[in-house]
Amino acid sequence: MARLSSTTLGLIAASFLVAVWVYVSSWTLSDVPSKEPLRAALVSQTVAKSSYDPPAAVRISEGVTKQILKKGDGIHFPVTGNTVLMHYTGTLADRTKFDSSVDRNQPFETRIGVGQVIKGWDEGVPTMSLGEKAVLVIEADWAYGDRGYPPIIPPKSQLIFEVELLKIKQ
C-alpha cells in the first residue's frame, strides 16, 4: 500500500473542508433539515445580526459625515434656496443634548444652502431625500468654529444632529 505524505494528506483534507464549506454556504433556510427549533434559531440569528448592524456613514464633505437611519423617497431632494421643514435633535460629541425640535414638537423651518444655518447643515441637508432620517456629524469648522455658541456650545465643538426631512418647499 502506498503511503501518502503529510503534505498530500493536508491538501486532501483542506480540499475536502473547502468543498463542504462551499456546499453548506450555498444552503438557504429552506434547505435546512425540517427541525423547527434549528430553523427558528437560524432565523433569529439572522434577524438579530441585521438589526444590530449600523448603516455605514458617508463623508459628505471635509466637515460633514452622514449616516442614514431611515431612507427617504430617493426622488425629492432640496436644492439651494429651497425652504425645508426638519425635525432635529442636536448633541455635543459627549451626547449632551443642546436643542431639539422633536422635544418642542415644533419642526424647524429654514432656507437651505444660503447661509441661514451652519455650513454643515447647508452641505448635509441637500443630500437627504424627502422623508429621510439621518445623523449628521459636523466638525467644528462647519458648525460654530472657534467661537462656539456660548453658553450652549463650547468653542471648537463637533456637533451631532439627528435630522429628519419632513417637507421641501420651492
Side-chain angles (χ1 to χ4, degrees):
M1 175 185 254
R3 289 188 69 143
L4 298 175
S5 72
S6 60
T7 304
T8 304
L9 286 174
L11 288 172
I12 292 170
S15 297
F16 175 75
L17 290 174
V18 168
V20 169
W21 178 81
V22 168
Y23 175 71
V24 170
S25 66
S26 69
W27 287 0
T28 63
L29 285 178
S30 61
D31 297 324
V32 175
S34 63
K35 298 195 184 318
E36 217 40 55
L38 176 59
R39 184 182 307 254
L42 288 171
V43 169
S44 69
Q45 282 182 344
T46 303
V47 170
K49 182 177 187 261
S50 65
S51 63
Y52 287 98
D53 287 343
V58 176
R59 184 172 288 283
I60 302 301
S61 69
E62 190 178 332
V64 183
T65 303
K66 179 175 90 168
Q67 180 180 29
I68 297 173
L69 301 177
K70 180 184 93 175
K71 291 183 180 180
D73 68 4
I75 299 168
H76 302 96
F77 294 82
V79 295
T80 299
N82 282 158
T83 297
V84 294
L85 196 63
M86 308 278 300
H87 257 315
Y88 71 90
T89 299
T91 62
L92 302 175
D94 68 0
R95 303 294 189 217
T96 302
K97 187 187 311 183
F98 61 82
D99 194 16
S100 175
S101 69
V102 177
D103 291 352
R104 290 190 301 275
N105 198 27
Q106 180 68 43
F108 176 66
E109 186 173 317
T110 190
R111 287 183 62 218
I112 207 68
V114 295
Q116 288 187 350
V117 290
I118 60 175
K119 184 178 178 181
W121 271 52
D122 274 347
E123 291 183 6
V125 172
T127 69
M128 298 176 66
S129 65
L130 187 62
E132 183 176 310
K133 190 173 193 175
V135 173
L136 297 178
V137 178
I138 302 174
E139 299 304 321
D141 289 341
W142 276 253
Y144 295 100
D146 291 338
R147 71 185 187 286
Y149 192 79
I152 300 166
I153 299 170
K156 300 179 182 179
S157 290
Q158 178 190 64
L159 303 180
I160 301 168
F161 288 93
E162 185 172 301
V163 293
E164 183 174 14
L165 181 56
L166 304 171
K167 189 173 185 178
I168 304 168
K169 299 179 184 178
Q170 298 302 325

